[in-house]
Amino acid sequence: MSRLIVVSNRTPGKGPAAGGLAVALRKTLSERDGFWFGWSGKLADEPSQTAQFEDIDGLTIAHIDLTRSDHHAYYAGFSNSILWPSFHLRLDLATIEGHWYEGYRAVNQQFARALLPLLQPDDVIWVHDYHLIPLANELRSLGARNRIGFYLHIPFPTTDALYAIPHHNELMRDLSRYDLVGLQANRDVAAFTEFADHQSPSSLSGSPLRSVDFTRSETSAFPIGSDPEAFARLAVTPAATKMVHRVQRNLREQKLILGVDRLDYSKGLPQRIEAYEKLLANDPRFRRNVHMMQVAPPSRDTIKEYQETSDALDAVCGRVMGRFSEPDWQPLTYVKRAYGQPSLAGLYRLAKVGLVTPLRDGMNLVAHEFVASQDPADPGVLILSRFAGAAEIFPEAIQVNPFDTDETSEALRMALDMPLDERITRWTALMAAARRHSVDNWASSFLERLVPDTSGQSSASRDMLYLASTG
Ligand code: ADQ
């Protein structure tokens, strides 16, 4: 079996892997030879020319250091102030500084130069996420002939939003240099196809590119998932139960509504709290009988738009607290810190309602984890944004338009009043879907498509095609 090289912005650190993705890829890598390549997390005066290898909990990691200025332009700049907001259709929150593109390309070139000498001819390379769109092109221009796949964890933008991104044509040309481009949902494949069918006639850079040719690159939806069996087990471990008891002491008979997110403007947090406010305002029988907990640790907090989202959330939480709290009852707990997976699994299991209402999301693994952690005999209800990729997987959730806080408030009422038999029927279908779309199935279906047993085309003939297309 060929070696697998996983490439992502950051390499996993020591200790238990935080997210489902790290766990899944770690497992995939443990089943075959290969290594994980990426940024070490360290900033140096000079960019690393070669990678350092390290064994972390049985996983082979190769990492490089970046300079502070390259990292700023590549990560906080082009990746998270241009690509992230544009791909989430928040052009109003994008900061366009043209020079960040040079840092973004420089880091991708640095990744390619450090990775190339480590490659063997039949290695399979799997590149992750929007930070590294140009990597295949950079590797190919240095002579790499390997099968290279790319997976985009965030939504693919509409054509209009894509046109607003500086150098979008180069980025699309870069994507066409992958053998396989994996997207989260059918909606993303439709947006991608629309761009491919109606390309921008010229680039803004002044040097019009030839139209981008996708005929040698396959694009398809590979919806990511969680490890539902692991979450189901985790939710009843002593560590999870400890969290359940801790929260239950204060909740007593109140029903828990739970939100768990990174603090990010794409997650629809202020709108979610507003919907809860409307529930309490419109239906006084819920006061004292429900409690909402929002767990939202800060992320990317050097970026101004993230600080503003944090301030907006503080303000709306304060307003709801002031409006409805009584000396012996608070409607809301807002926790600005991350919890480990066992504590989260306990919280998911305790909650009667999982409120997952991003304004736009690639998939949203919290929805999967919430479903997997439920008690089959008394499951909670999932309220899900129809703009999360997960909406395609979970039609049995109560789906809402997260911008419409009246609709979300009504969904909360429905969920809190839902009889047990309907909760069980919905949850049974949701859990079956979570199992079908487990993270293991995701990784194996992507890799099987990237490296079919009978590819029908040798790497030499692919290479001829590639050279012909690039002139
Ligand atoms: P994220 O935007 O980070 O990921 P999400 O999928 O919801 O979003 O969560 C990823 C992981 O982070 C989950 O395993 C979750 O448990 C964990 N997490 C989230 N909030 C947490 C909290 N408050 N405390 C502790 N852990 C927390 C990006 C895309 C998503 C896509 C994933 C995977 O934006 O759309 O689903 O990648 O492809």
Side-chain angles (χ1 to χ4, degrees), residues 65-84:
D65 304 338
L66 302 176
T67 66
R68 184 174 297 279
S69 64
D70 277 353
H71 180 260
H72 177 76
Y74 148 81
Y75 183 78
F78 199 77
S79 296
N80 283 316
S81 296
I82 297 181
L83 295 180
W84 176 275

Side-chain angles (χ1 to χ4, degrees), residues 9 75-76 79-81 83-85 88 129-131 153-154 262-267 297-310:
N9 168 47
Y75 183 78
S79 296
N80 283 316
S81 296
L83 295 180
W84 176 275
H88 286 87
D129 235 356
Y130 56 103
H131 319 85
H153 289 262
I154 64 176
R262 262 189 320 103
L263 212 171
D264 190 296
Y265 49 76
S266 65
K267 304 292 183 185
S299 66
R300 305 175 194 164
D301 50 5
T302 58
I303 299 174
K304 177 170 79 41
E305 286 72 20
Y306 283 78
Q307 290 157 8
E308 287 169 2
T309 305
S310 177

Side-chain angles (χ1 to χ4, degrees), residues 18-21 84 88 129-130 151-155 184 187 224-226 231 259-264 266-267 294-298 300 335-341 344 348 356 358 360-369 388-390 442:
L21 175 67
W84 176 275
H88 286 87
D129 235 356
Y130 56 103
Y151 190 78
L152 183 69
H153 289 262
I154 64 176
Q184 292 273 21
R187 127 204 109 177
I224 199 170
S226 66
F231 259 91
V260 173
D261 306 79
R262 262 189 320 103
L263 212 171
D264 190 296
S266 65
K267 304 292 183 185
Q294 177 63 54
V295 182
R300 305 175 194 164
V335 188
K336 244 179 173 166
R337 48 170 286 210
Y339 285 108
Q341 303 260 302
L344 281 187
Y348 292 142
V356 182
R360 197 165 164 80
D361 217 331
M363 171 53 63
N364 196 296
L365 290 178
V366 169
H368 284 251
E369 295 165 2
W442 166 78

